[in-house]
Amino acid sequence: MPGTTLDLARELIARRSVTPEDGGCLEIVSQRLAPLGFRLERLDRGGVSNLWARRGGSGPVLCFAGHTDVVPSGPLEQWRSDPFRPEVRDGHLFGRGAADMKGSIAAFVTATERFLAAHPDHAGAIALLLTSDEEGRAVDGTVRVVETLAARGEALDYCIVGEPTSAARLADTIKNGRRGSLSGRLLVKGVQGHIAYPHLVKNPVHKVAPALAELAATVWDAGNEYFPPTSWQVSNFHAGTGADNVVPGSAEILFNFRFSTASTPDALQARVHDILDRHGVEYALEWTLSGQPYLTPRGRLVEAVSQAIRDSVGLDTELSTSGGTSDGRFIAAICPEVIELGPLNATIHKIDECVAVADLDALSRIYERALGLLLR
C-alpha cells in the first residue's frame, strides 16, 4: 500500500487550500486513484477545482463525496502549531481540515485501495466526487458536477459524504438527511425625517415590528419522524443613519428558514408574504433557496453503513438530520440514498482543529467494510 491514512491526511493538510482554492489536493488524490484503474475527469469551473473519478461500469454505483477546501485558519498566533504544517500530538493530528474534511478524504482513498486489493473484480462501480467549493459560495462545485452527470444520464445508487458527523465517539451519528435553507432579504420602505416631527415621517421599524413578532411566533410545521420543526430566524436588522434624531427611511432585515420535509419553499414564502401584507407593510422581498431538504430513510445504504460501524468499531449508531447544510443536498438530485459519516465535529472551524489518529484508521475500516457490504 502507498501509505497509511495518517500519511495521506498529513499530505493533504499541508496543502493550503482555503476556499475556493484546492492547493493541489485533487492532484494528490488523482495520483493515488489512477493506478487503481479509475477514470479521472477534472470538471473545473469558475476558479473551482472539481474531480469526478469512477472505476467500474454498470451499477450499483457507490460514491464517496467530499471537499478539499477549508475555512480560513483565523489568528495564527492562537494555534499551537502552524495550521498548514500538520503535527501529531497526544494521539491527535492537528491542522486545518483535519476533521473537516481532509481526514475523511484520506480514509476514502485508503479504504478503496485495500478493498480493491482484496476484491479487484468487485460488483458495481466505485466513484469519488471531490470539490474545492463547499466552504464558500458552493455554486461551482458539487452542484456543477451533479448537473454534468445528470445531463449525460449518469446516476448514483449510494453516496457517503465524509462530513464530520460524529458527536462523542467516532461513528456514533450518521446524518441521513439535512434541512433545507431558504433565506430572505426584506427591505421595508418608510419616510425619513426629523424625529421631533412624527406626523411628517413613516418609521419602517415601527411598521414592521408587529409583523416580525408574528413571524417569530408562527409555528411553520411540526416536523416529522426525522426532522425537527421548521425554524425561522432573523440574522441581521439594519436601519437608521447613526444619528439619534433621524427616523430612518428604510429598514433591511435578513432572515432564514431551516425547513423540514414537512414544508415546501413555495408554501413558506406565501405565508411570509401573507403576514407582511396583513400588517400593511410596504416592502420588497428577495428570496434565495440555497438547498432543498433531503432524507434517506432506513434502507440498503443506512443498514449497510450501520452494519459496517458495528463490525468495525462495535457501536450502534444513531440517525440524525440536525446541523447545517452540506453538499448532500445537491447529490440527492441524482442519488436516492445519501448519508453523511465522518470524524468528530467538536473542533471543526476552530483554532487547533484536530482528529484522533486512531479514528482515521477506524473510519477507513468503516468505509472499506461498507464497500464490501454494498459491492460484493
Side-chain angles (χ1 to χ4, degrees), residues 56-297:
S58 59
V61 181
L62 171 58
C63 175
F64 292 117
H67 60 90
T68 61
D69 59 321
V70 299
V71 297
S73 62
L76 292 176
E77 65 275 11
Q78 294 184 20
W79 285 74
R80 288 184 59 190
S81 55
D82 189 313
F84 295 105
R85 291 184 180 176
E87 182 174 303
V88 175
R89 299 191 305 270
D90 303 321
H92 286 74
L93 172 64
F94 288 81
R96 179 56 86 221
D100 189 14
M101 57 174 290
K102 292 180 177 181
S104 295
I105 293 175
F108 289 161
V109 173
T110 56
T112 300
E113 289 171 339
R114 291 194 308 275
F115 176 74
L116 291 177
H119 309 286
D121 299 319
H122 63 87
I126 304 171
L128 280 84
L129 193 170
L130 303 177
T131 183
S132 69
D133 185 32
E134 196 273 347
E135 298 288 9
R137 297 174 62 232
V139 297
D140 286 315
T142 297
V143 64
R144 299 306 181 198
V145 178
V146 167
E147 289 173 355
T148 298
L149 297 178
R152 63 195 193 197
E154 193 168 354
L156 310 177
D157 295 283
Y158 314 113
C159 183
I160 300 175
V161 185
E163 288 292 341
T165 60
S166 304
R169 293 179 55 189
L170 176 71
D172 61 2
T173 306
I174 291 174
K175 302 289 186 183
N176 67 317
R178 295 277 189 165
R179 293 175 294 176
S181 179
L182 175 65
S183 297
R185 178 179 177 269
L186 174 63
L187 182 65
V188 181
K189 303 172 184 178
V191 176
Q192 179 177 315
H194 198 293
I195 205 164
Y197 299 89
H199 60 290
L200 299 178
V201 301
K202 183 187 294 184
N203 194 317
V205 177
H206 294 181
K207 197 65 180 177
V208 77
L212 292 181
E214 182 173 345
L215 288 166
T218 296
V219 177
W220 303 96
D221 60 49
N224 53 38
E225 176 187 0
Y226 293 102
F227 287 96
T230 290
S231 168
W232 180 87
Q233 295 290 327
V234 170
S235 58
N236 287 271
F237 194 124
H238 302 284
T241 64
D244 63 2
N245 61 352
V246 179
V247 170
S250 64
E252 182 185 59
I253 299 101
L254 305 182
F255 62 82
N256 177 266
F257 281 104
R258 291 302 165 100
F259 64 101
S260 72
T261 51
S263 290
T264 66
D266 289 345
L268 294 173
Q269 291 179 40
R271 293 177 69 184
V272 170
H273 283 285
D274 177 66
I275 291 171
L276 293 170
D277 293 341
R278 282 194 288 101
H279 284 275
V281 179
E282 186 178 357
Y283 67 94
L285 180 51
E286 299 175 0
W287 293 97
T288 302
L289 178 64
S290 57
Q292 291 275 10
Y294 77 90
L295 176 67
T296 298

Side-chain angles (χ1 to χ4, degrees), residues 21 57 85 198 205 224 245 277 291 309 322 337 344 348:
E21 297 298 324
R85 291 184 180 176
V205 177
N224 53 38
N245 61 352
D277 293 341
I309 293 169
S322 64
E337 297 185 48
L344 270 67
I348 60 175

